[in-house]
């Protein structure tokens, strides 16, 4: 039996919808992870709506929650996963917590989704306060082991525009130099070899050898574009990448393939359900939960079968 693997997930919570911790927690639990969640914000709904209300945690409130875990000696983790936040002091406190957890467990892996913005119709825009950028760039990314920016976020972090795949590889090298061993640009507007109907994700894993040199593995995954607008996909992607890199620690290609496969199936199933129902969208989410559980269990079965062979 595989030993317990515990994740501290620090990201958003919404009452209505599936983003942040509501998008990440269940898939990780299906794959056998124990997940403890801290909600960086608690909003009525995601900020893409015309209106949203709620609370934003600051560093003192995060510190209080973490102190409670410490006092009960239940603050040992194998992974930390972070996503959306809006407060600079909160983000700086996350770094302090990650560093303390790494002192307790040198094998802890920090997976950071540096949620800052995205591109729409070729134009990038931030949807968090701009003063988060230097905190991510100067404090968060240097302590991260895996980062999952989209193209726009990778450009923000490095100050370098991406026009070609060569540019993207150089940007990933710049991000490696800042600290993380694994960089995955989860989406881009680069031209895919398979055509305009495909989306490119790029990954890079740099492993340092005993003599100080390194080996770099590069991967490119192309997946069909989906003609719809979704929220929470980046949160699900980061959670799935955490899970599959844990199960395939030396094979970024397989981890990314399984991550993208899960994403594609969930998105296609969501579109199918939305088109086939005139009811409120929330009513169809239960079916997606069951579907996702079966899909991930299928991946696990395939993994076990391949291992036996």
């Amino acid at each position: 039996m595989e030993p317990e693997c515990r994740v501290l997930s620090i990201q958003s919570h919404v009452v209505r919808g599936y983003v942040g911790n509501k998008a990440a927690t269940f898939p990780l639990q299906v794959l056998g992870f124990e997940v403890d969640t801290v909600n960086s914000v608690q909003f009525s709904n995601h900020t893409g709506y015309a209106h949203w209300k709620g609370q934003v945690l600051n560093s003192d409130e995060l510190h209080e929650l973490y102190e409670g875990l410490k006092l009960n000696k239940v603050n040992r983790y194998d992974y930390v996963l972070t996503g959306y936040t809006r407060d600079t002091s909160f983000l700086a406190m996350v770094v302090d917590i990650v560093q303390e957890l790494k002192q307790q467990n040198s094998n802890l892996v920090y997976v950071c989704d540096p949620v800052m913005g995205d591109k729409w119709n070729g134009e990038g825009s931030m949807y968090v306060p701009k003063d988060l950028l230097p905190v991510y760039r100067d404090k968060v990314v240097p302590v991260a082991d895996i980062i999952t920016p989209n193209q726009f976020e990778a450009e923000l972090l490095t100050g370098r525009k991406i026009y070609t795949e060569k540019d993207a590889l150089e940007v990933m090298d710049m991000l490696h130099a800042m600290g993380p061993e694994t960089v995955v640009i989860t989406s881009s507007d680069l031209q895919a070899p398979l055509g305009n109907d495909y989306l490119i994700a790029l990954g890079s894993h740099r492993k340092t050898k005993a003599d100080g040199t390194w080996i770099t593995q590069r991967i490119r995954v192309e997946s069909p574009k989906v003609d719809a607008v979704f929220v929470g996909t980046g949160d699900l992607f980061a959670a799935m990448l955490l899970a599959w890199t844990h199960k395939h620690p030396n094979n970024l290609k397989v981890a990314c393939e399984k991550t993208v496969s899960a994403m594609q199936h969930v998105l296609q199933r969501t579109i199918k359900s939305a088109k086939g129902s005139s009811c409120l969208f929330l009513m169809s989410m239960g079916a997606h939960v069951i579907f996702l559980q079966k899909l991930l269990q299928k991946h696990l079965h395939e993994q076990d079968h391949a291992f036996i062979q």
Side-chain angles (χ1 to χ4, degrees):
M1 183 176 178
E2 189 174 344
E4 177 183 282
C5 190
R6 188 168 289 273
V7 180
L8 177 62
S9 180
I10 306 174
Q11 47 189 316
S12 63
H13 170 79
V14 291
V15 177
R16 171 66 180 262
Y18 287 82
V19 299
N21 274 324
K22 283 181 71 175
T25 302
F26 175 74
L28 287 170
Q29 291 172 328
V30 170
L31 289 171
F33 294 85
E34 291 291 336
V35 185
D36 295 345
T37 60
V38 173
N39 298 326
S40 58
V41 303
Q42 178 169 265
F43 287 163
S44 54
N45 42 266
H46 69 77
T47 57
Y49 280 77
H51 308 283
W52 48 274
K53 298 289 185 179
Q55 300 81 40
V56 178
L57 255 67
N58 59 35
S59 59
D60 291 339
E61 291 162 331
L62 174 59
H63 182 261
E64 184 177 5
L65 291 174
Y66 181 66
E67 281 299 305
L69 296 174
K70 283 177 64 176
L71 288 171
N72 289 300
K73 298 180 180 179
V74 289
N75 61 323
R76 181 176 176 84
Y77 292 95
D78 302 287
Y79 287 88
V80 175
L81 171 64
T82 63
Y84 183 94
T85 187
R86 295 187 66 86
D87 185 84
T88 54
S89 70
F90 181 96
L91 195 54
M93 179 59 66
V94 167
V95 174
D96 293 342
I97 290 173
V98 168
Q99 290 174 326
E100 181 172 319
L101 291 173
K102 283 192 171 190
Q103 288 177 352
Q104 295 180 31
N105 177 12
S106 60
N107 293 320
L108 180 140
V109 175
Y110 174 26
V111 181
C112 170
D113 182 7
V115 180
M116 290 184 284
D118 207 343
K119 288 188 175 184
W120 289 271
N121 299 319
E123 293 295 323
S125 177
M126 292 184 69
Y127 43 65
V128 298
K130 289 182 170 55
D131 55 2
L132 287 179
L133 172 57
V135 183
Y136 271 117
R137 183 187 60 226
D138 302 333
K139 295 183 178 181
V140 179
V141 172
V143 301
D145 300 287
I146 300 173
I147 59 171
T148 60
N150 57 38
Q151 179 179 332
F152 177 63
E153 291 159 346
E155 292 174 341
L156 285 177
L157 290 169
T158 59
R160 170 80 181 272
K161 291 289 186 181
I162 296 173
Y163 299 105
T164 65
E165 192 167 316
K166 180 176 180 293
D167 292 336
L169 296 178
E170 291 172 357
V171 163
M172 287 193 290
D173 283 339
M174 293 172 70
L175 292 168
H176 280 311
M178 293 166 70
E181 284 190 351
T182 302
V183 177
V184 177
I185 298 178
T186 59
S187 62
S188 71
D189 54 15
L190 297 174
Q191 177 69 44
L194 291 176
N196 294 330
D197 294 331
Y198 286 81
L199 190 68
I200 290 180
L202 297 167
S204 180
H205 177 70
R206 178 172 290 182
K207 191 170 183 65
T208 305
K209 298 194 293 185
D211 61 3
T213 61
W214 58 71
I215 301 172
T216 304
Q217 177 192 11
R218 310 281 205 189
I219 63 116
R220 180 180 69 221
V221 180
E222 299 178 37
S223 57
K225 289 182 179 178
V226 179
D227 188 21
V229 177
F230 297 93
V231 294
T233 52
D235 308 321
L236 178 59
F237 189 106
M240 290 292 85
L241 188 67
L242 182 158
W244 294 119
T245 51
H246 174 75
K247 297 177 185 299
H248 303 281
N250 299 310
N251 197 329
L252 181 61
K253 178 177 179 291
V254 170
C256 284
E257 285 174 346
K258 290 192 173 184
T259 297
V260 171
S261 173
M263 297 294 300
Q264 279 290 312
H265 280 84
V266 169
L267 296 182
Q268 293 294 344
R269 181 63 173 259
T270 301
I271 288 176
K272 183 179 178 181
S273 294
K275 288 181 176 178
S277 175
S278 59
C279 300
L280 288 173
F281 180 70
L282 182 63
M283 295 178 65
S284 68
M285 290 306 296
H288 302 152
V289 166
I290 295 170
F291 171 73
L292 180 58
Q293 183 175 16
K294 290 179 178 177
L295 173 68
L296 296 179
Q297 287 172 340
K298 177 176 180 288
H299 276 311
L300 283 173
H301 174 75
E302 291 171 348
Q303 173 187 304
D304 293 341
H305 182 65
F307 179 77
I308 292 170
Q309 287 183 326

